[in-house]
Amino acid sequence: MDELAAELVRLGPDVIVTVASGAALAAKRATTTIPIVMATVGEPVGIGLVASLARPGGNITGVTLYGSELARKRLELLKETIPGVRRVALLGNAANPFSAFSWNEIQPAGPALGLELRLFAIRELGELPASFAAMKRDGVDSLLYCPMHHSQRGKL
């Protein structure tokens, strides 16, 4: 992503529009002067993309679809929807900083709700079968998905 962002900056666009956390962070590293509009970025404050949602600062603005206050609520809804759920897996993209942020946000809520949580962070699509096999072996009852964005064919 960093190479692509640097190439884009060299082309001299008037504005850069990004989708996903990784692309927005790469654009931020590539320029401090070209305006960057982020779309569908997960928790831009938590991953260090902007200073705050009210006053992002710098050359970055845009929207987010995630609020950290929803982490516990997602688990509460899961527990309400699937009575008896005990072990929950979070599947995330190891290369996406939002996956790590999501895990850090949701992890404390699990024990408080009587749930065991386990992170399955993968880098390539080929790792999915082994992750699902490990989930089955560990007796996982449910799966929460952390959005993953494809940066290239066969990679996450």
Side-chain angles (χ1 to χ4, degrees):
M1 287 281 190
D2 285 331
E3 288 178 31
L4 293 172
E7 181 180 341
L8 184 59
V9 167
R10 283 191 298 274
L11 294 172
D14 293 326
V15 66
I16 297 172
V17 178
T18 65
V19 176
S21 304
L25 287 166
K28 178 182 180 179
R29 289 188 292 269
T31 181
T32 58
T33 56
I34 299 171
I36 299 168
V37 178
M38 60 181 178
T40 65
V41 170
E43 193 57 60
V45 176
I47 64 170
L49 193 55
V50 296
S52 77
L53 294 179
R55 302 198 189 288
N59 59 323
I60 302 173
T61 191
V63 296
T64 182
L65 301 176
Y66 181 84
S68 60
E69 66 278 359
L70 297 177
R72 180 183 174 99
K73 192 64 173 173
R74 285 184 179 89
L75 285 178
E76 289 172 356
L77 288 171
L78 179 66
K79 192 170 179 175
E80 184 178 318
T81 304
I82 306 171
V85 68
R86 222 177 44 139
R87 290 187 179 130
V88 179
L90 177 71
L91 178 64
N93 179 350
N96 186 334
F98 181 60
S99 292
F101 182 84
S102 294
W103 173 248
N104 291 335
E105 286 293 308
I106 207 166
Q107 192 175 14
L113 294 168
L115 299 172
E116 296 176 40
L117 303 180
R118 178 143 182 237
L119 176 63
F120 290 84
I122 62 173
R123 291 194 177 275
E124 298 189 15
L125 295 174
E127 296 175 44
L128 281 173
S131 293
F132 287 131
M135 288 177 208
K136 184 175 181 178
R137 188 175 50 251
D138 292 352
V140 168
D141 303 315
S142 187
L143 170 71
L144 289 178
Y145 166 73
C146 184
M148 298 185 210
H149 300 282
H150 298 277
S151 59
Q152 54 185 295
R153 190 175 190 185
K155 300 266 185 192
L156 298 176

